[in-house]
Amino acid sequence: MSGLLLHGGMGPDGRRLDLRTDPATGVIAAAAPALDARPDDEAIDCTGLVLLPAPAEPHAHLDKALSSEVVANETGDLPGAVRAWHAHWPTLTEDDIAARARRAAEELIAHGTTAIRSHVDVGPGIGLTAVRPVVALRDELRAQGLADLQVVALVSNPQTPQEEAPLRRLRAEAMELGCDVVGGCPHLHHDPIACTRDAFAYAESIGRPIDLHTDETLNPEALYLPELVRLVAESGFAHGATASHCCSLGVQSAAIQAEVARACAAAGVAVVTLPQTNLFLQSRGIVTAPPRGLTAVRALLDAGAVVAAGADNVRDPFNGVGRSDALETASLLIVAAHLSPAEAWHAVSNGARRAMGLPEVTLRAGAPAEVLAVRGLSLADAIARGSEHRVVVHAGRCVSRTEVASSLLPLIPVPVLS
Ligand SMILES: [Zn+2]
């Protein structure tokens, strides 16, 4: 059996770890401090690299990504981003979306992300123009063996009662075209509870997962997450329920945070925190001690809820920066949510995979062979450096390699800087 041998690297704990992956089955065939190369192994020297469970991106917007140079957010906040993007809808073409989505996906893969969930706009002003290219990209990435992509139909909110029926039809067409997950944005709806119930009832009726933009606001009155949790708990919904953002939970009292977090854990509702976009969009105009805008990450972890983290928007009107890199998201979680490096990495890897309904990855024989090897002396060191020097394994195959060489004058090789 030919395999891929990653040798000479270290596990997250800094101890020597070799892995042999099997491209035929997509699992880790062997894991040990030292494995002997077989004649037909493809061997990759991982000296100086830390081997980690590959990250997953639980919340991307591939249809919007990499558009910030042409779409300006004049006010810098969420309403400004929505206005700018909706004004841009009429000029969007499927070719433009396909090209940017592919580039954004390639950036994620090169950084080690082997599973991606992307929300995609569906609405009267854009129809299914964004759905078709992103669904096609999902099929392309699968056929090329590069990554798993899940597509969420992010349905607009009706601006008038007359828009309600056409929007429901568009949502159904988006799912028939190949979207995997039912999305929506209740906190921007004129009736957030009704919007949550409608999206949930639809997901339940077609047996698909639900992933809502929930409470992306620091208004403490806008706390609609408990309604989604109640619906899931009372119905026994088993298709996968995810709440993204949940910023307003972060501005509640400790007692309310703990209560909602316990309910999330009990119902199995995963919460996705998106530190970079929250830091970019939230707290605009608050001059003194602006909140960080993140959800109650610590309370959710303490309650045992599934906590995932992602990059969200990347270089678009909703976030002007971003590297499409889970190491960047993990670093932000350490700084802005005060997580440990291990907690942060879990949120961007196995926490994200659980939120996406994917099996967890361990660096042991029998586990899915989804691995990122990145320059560093330990997990904490790798997150702090964010080196581009990486090896990425998806389904047992090496799908991306980036090599960086640094020198200090007079040209003495300094591998630790790479
Ligand atoms: Zn989003």
Side-chain angles (χ1 to χ4, degrees), residues 62-63 65-67 70 85 88 91-102 133:
L62 296 180
D63 55 334
L66 311 180
S67 63
V70 290
W85 188 249
H88 185 61
T91 66
L92 281 171
T93 65
E94 291 191 23
D95 285 349
D96 166 52
I97 294 168
R100 286 185 293 98
R102 175 82 199 192

Side-chain angles (χ1 to χ4, degrees), residues 59 61 119 213 216 245 274 312-313:
H59 189 115
H61 288 268
H119 296 253
H213 283 65
E216 190 182 354
H245 289 292
L274 302 153
D312 200 356
N313 299 88

Side-chain angles (χ1 to χ4, degrees), residues 63 117-123 127-136 138-139 142 149-155 170-183 202-203 206-210:
D63 55 334
R117 174 176 282 187
S118 177
H119 296 253
V120 176
D121 285 358
V122 176
L128 302 170
T129 301
V131 170
R132 279 186 286 266
V134 179
V135 167
R138 177 197 62 195
D139 297 342
R142 185 186 292 150
L149 173 59
Q150 301 176 353
V151 185
V152 187
L154 176 54
V155 187
L170 263 182
R171 179 172 66 185
E173 286 173 33
M175 298 308 293
E176 281 159 21
L177 259 180
C179 285
D180 306 287
V181 181
V182 175
Y202 178 64
I206 60 170
R208 294 293 184 86
I210 187 168

Side-chain angles (χ1 to χ4, degrees), residues 39-254:
D40 51 357
D41 275 342
E42 176 193 355
I44 297 180
D45 183 2
C46 292
T47 303
L49 308 188
V50 182
L51 276 52
L52 303 169
E57 173 53 65
H59 189 115
H61 288 268
L62 296 180
D63 55 334
K64 299 183 174 90
L66 311 180
S67 63
S68 59
E69 302 289 345
V70 290
V71 189
N73 179 349
E74 300 295 346
T75 55
D77 56 6
L78 179 58
V82 171
R83 273 196 306 276
W85 188 249
H86 287 188
H88 185 61
W89 270 355
T91 66
L92 281 171
T93 65
E94 291 191 23
D95 285 349
D96 166 52
I97 294 168
R100 286 185 293 98
R102 175 82 199 192
R103 270 174 53 213
E106 287 176 356
E107 285 191 13
L108 281 162
I109 295 164
H111 284 133
T113 297
T114 59
I116 305 163
R117 174 176 282 187
S118 177
H119 296 253
V120 176
D121 285 358
V122 176
I126 189 163
L128 302 170
T129 301
V131 170
R132 279 186 286 266
V134 179
V135 167
L137 175 64
R138 177 197 62 195
D139 297 342
E140 209 176 281
L141 293 174
R142 185 186 292 150
Q144 293 168 336
L146 289 175
D148 297 320
L149 173 59
Q150 301 176 353
V151 185
V152 187
L154 176 54
V155 187
S156 294
N157 291 316
Q159 301 304 309
T160 63
Q162 291 73 31
E163 280 188 2
E164 286 186 18
L167 267 169
R168 287 210 173 89
R169 279 199 296 276
L170 263 182
R171 179 172 66 185
E173 286 173 33
M175 298 308 293
E176 281 159 21
L177 259 180
C179 285
D180 306 287
V181 181
V182 175
C185 211
H187 72 277
L188 294 179
H189 193 283
H190 64 87
D191 187 342
I193 295 292
C195 178
T196 303
R197 290 176 182 169
D198 176 65
F200 181 79
Y202 178 64
E204 199 175 30
S205 72
I206 60 170
R208 294 293 184 86
I210 187 168
D211 188 337
L212 298 179
H213 283 65
T214 307
D215 308 340
E216 190 182 354
T217 168
L218 295 180
N219 174 6
E221 304 297 317
L223 187 62
Y224 307 113
L225 171 61
E227 178 64 13
L228 176 63
V229 173
R230 184 189 70 77
L231 291 165
V232 171
E234 291 182 0
S235 65
F237 184 75
H239 306 293
T242 301
S244 296
H245 289 292
C246 305
C247 305
S248 70
L249 185 62
V251 293
Q252 305 297 325
S253 69

